[in-house]
């Protein structure tokens, strides 16, 4: 009596540890996503100790975090090849880590324009600037003209200097490890599953421990309380979340 983890749950933890090579934080998120089961980090570490699972020692390095205090002040955008004829466009807010993803067959200006419109529609706050690398799909004339039309600034990073774009690179790695590792890339419903993963990432997935932010949009909510137009944007954000939840579940 009083034991939180039984043999079945313990087997889940060990399988995720050995197959996915996840740490305690990744296993905590994976248990909730796949089994709807919540465990604290201390309990997962107890399972590691009981089964003599060793964790590698890593030295903590001090790093300079490129972050902005206001949601929408800077949105980082990048592309990533997932497989043959599959390219993922990713946009993540620098402050709140709110993310929008979409799959396309090619990296073209036409697809970039479609993705920008989707990002503007789904982000629960106004966007002031996009930050990208120097990919040709972002420097096309049509893309630049569309950004001028929307009044959004475009700030590419320096050549051979990927450090300021680390957030979007890291979140793409998370997509590969936690989403695409558990699906078939030839599945005709792959885009629908990606949208379900996006909803889970934004509204349910807990961030990694070093960030220590709590819920995904806690910075947005704290900013909304102080900003004179905060209540309006908060209502807009909740309305978009409800509509997107209905779309992902197939109710509308």
């Amino acid at each position: 009596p009083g034991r939180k983890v039984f043999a079945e749950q313990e087997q889940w933890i060990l399988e995720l540890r050995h197959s996915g090579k996840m740490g305690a934080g990744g296993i905590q998120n994976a248990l909730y996503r796949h089994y709807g089961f919540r465990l604290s980090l201390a309990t997962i570490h107890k399972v590691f100790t009981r089964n003599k699972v060793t964790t590698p020692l890593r030295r903590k390095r001090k790093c300079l975090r490129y972050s902005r205090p206001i949601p929408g002040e800077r949105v980082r955008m990048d592309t990533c090849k997932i497989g043959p004829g599959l390219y993922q466009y990713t946009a993540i807010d620098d402050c709140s880590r709110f993310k929008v993803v979409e799959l396309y067959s090619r990296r073209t200006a036409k697809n970039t324009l479609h993705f920008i419109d989707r990002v503007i529609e789904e982000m629960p706050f106004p966007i002031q600037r996009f930050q990208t690398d120097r990919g040709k799909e972002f420097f096309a004339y049509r893309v630049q003209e569309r950004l001028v039309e929307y009044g959004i600034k475009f700030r590419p990073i320096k050549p051979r200097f990927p450090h300021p774009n680390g957030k979007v690179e890291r979140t793409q790695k998370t997509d590969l490890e936690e989403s695409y590792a558990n699906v078939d890339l030839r599945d005709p419903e792959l885009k629908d599953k990606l949208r379900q993963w996006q909803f889970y990432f934004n509204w349910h997935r807990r961030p990694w421990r070093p960030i220590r932010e709590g819920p995904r949009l806690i910075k947005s909510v704290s900013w909304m309380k102080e900003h004179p137009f905060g209540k309006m944007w908060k209502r807009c954000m909740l309305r978009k979340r409800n509509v997107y939840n209905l779309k992902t579940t197939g109710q509308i």
Side-chain angles (χ1 to χ4, degrees), residues 59-67 76 97 161 163-164 166-167 170 209-211:
R59 295 181 180 179
K60 293 184 178 180
R61 297 181 180 179
K62 293 183 178 180
C63 58
L64 175 64
R65 293 194 178 276
Y66 300 88
S67 183
R76 307 187 186 202
R97 313 297 202 276
F161 192 71
H163 309 86
K167 283 190 181 70
R170 183 60 185 87
R209 296 298 104 186
I211 298 178

Side-chain angles (χ1 to χ4, degrees), residues 97-99 197-204 216-217:
R97 313 297 202 276
F98 191 92
K99 181 169 70 170
W197 159 252
Q198 175 188 315
F199 180 80
Y200 167 78
F201 182 92
N202 289 330
W203 298 100
H204 297 289
R216 182 67 55 184
L217 291 177

Side-chain angles (χ1 to χ4, degrees), residues 108-144:
T108 61
K110 181 180 178 180
N111 292 336
T112 303
L113 291 173
H114 179 270
F115 183 68
I116 288 175
D117 290 338
R118 183 159 176 255
V119 171
I120 294 173
E121 178 186 356
E122 295 191 13
M123 286 281 183
F125 32 72
I127 299 173
Q128 297 184 32
R129 68 169 57 85
F130 280 117
Q131 176 179 298
T132 70
D133 56 15
R134 295 187 171 265
K136 295 180 180 179
E137 62 273 15
F138 302 123
F139 278 80
Y141 286 117
R142 287 187 295 170
V143 175
Q144 298 300 314

Side-chain angles (χ1 to χ4, degrees), residues 21-36:
K21 297 181 181 179
M22 297 181 181
I27 291 174
Q28 185 186 50
N29 288 322
L31 285 174
Y32 179 71
R33 183 185 174 209
H34 296 295
Y35 305 106

Side-chain angles (χ1 to χ4, degrees), residues 46-198:
K46 286 180 183 179
V47 175
F48 287 170
T49 304
R50 189 160 52 243
N51 292 272
K52 298 181 180 180
V53 177
T54 58
T55 55
L57 297 176
R58 298 179 180 178
R59 295 181 180 179
K60 293 184 178 180
R61 297 181 180 179
K62 293 183 178 180
C63 58
L64 175 64
R65 293 194 178 276
Y66 300 88
S67 183
R68 304 304 302 170
I70 300 176
E73 186 174 353
R74 181 169 58 196
V75 174
R76 307 187 186 202
M77 189 161 55
D78 195 17
T79 59
C80 175
K81 184 175 182 179
I82 305 301
L86 282 177
Y87 295 91
Q88 176 179 299
Y89 276 71
T90 308
I92 185 168
D93 178 52
D94 206 356
C95 173
S96 64
R97 313 297 202 276
F98 191 92
K99 181 169 70 170
V100 178
V101 292
E102 185 59 276
L103 280 176
Y104 296 96
S105 59
R106 296 179 63 190
R107 289 181 284 198
T108 61
K110 181 180 178 180
N111 292 336
T112 303
L113 291 173
H114 179 270
F115 183 68
I116 288 175
D117 290 338
R118 183 159 176 255
V119 171
I120 294 173
E121 178 186 356
E122 295 191 13
M123 286 281 183
F125 32 72
I127 299 173
Q128 297 184 32
R129 68 169 57 85
F130 280 117
Q131 176 179 298
T132 70
D133 56 15
R134 295 187 171 265
K136 295 180 180 179
E137 62 273 15
F138 302 123
F139 278 80
Y141 286 117
R142 287 187 295 170
V143 175
Q144 298 300 314
E145 291 171 356
R146 181 68 61 84
L147 294 179
V148 171
E149 178 185 349
Y150 289 159
I152 299 176
K153 298 178 182 178
F154 178 67
R155 294 291 182 268
I157 60 177
K158 296 179 181 179
R160 299 178 295 278
F161 192 71
H163 309 86
N165 227 26
K167 283 190 181 70
V168 67
E169 299 285 354
R170 183 60 185 87
T171 192
Q172 286 175 342
K173 182 180 179 182
T174 301
D175 296 339
L176 292 171
E177 292 177 348
E178 298 189 23
S179 177
Y180 291 109
N182 302 311
V183 298
D184 185 4
L185 297 181
R186 295 169 294 183
D187 189 349
E189 299 181 355
L190 184 61
K191 289 189 176 183
D192 294 334
K193 292 182 178 179
L194 182 62
R195 295 201 174 190
Q196 293 175 6
W197 159 252
Q198 175 188 315

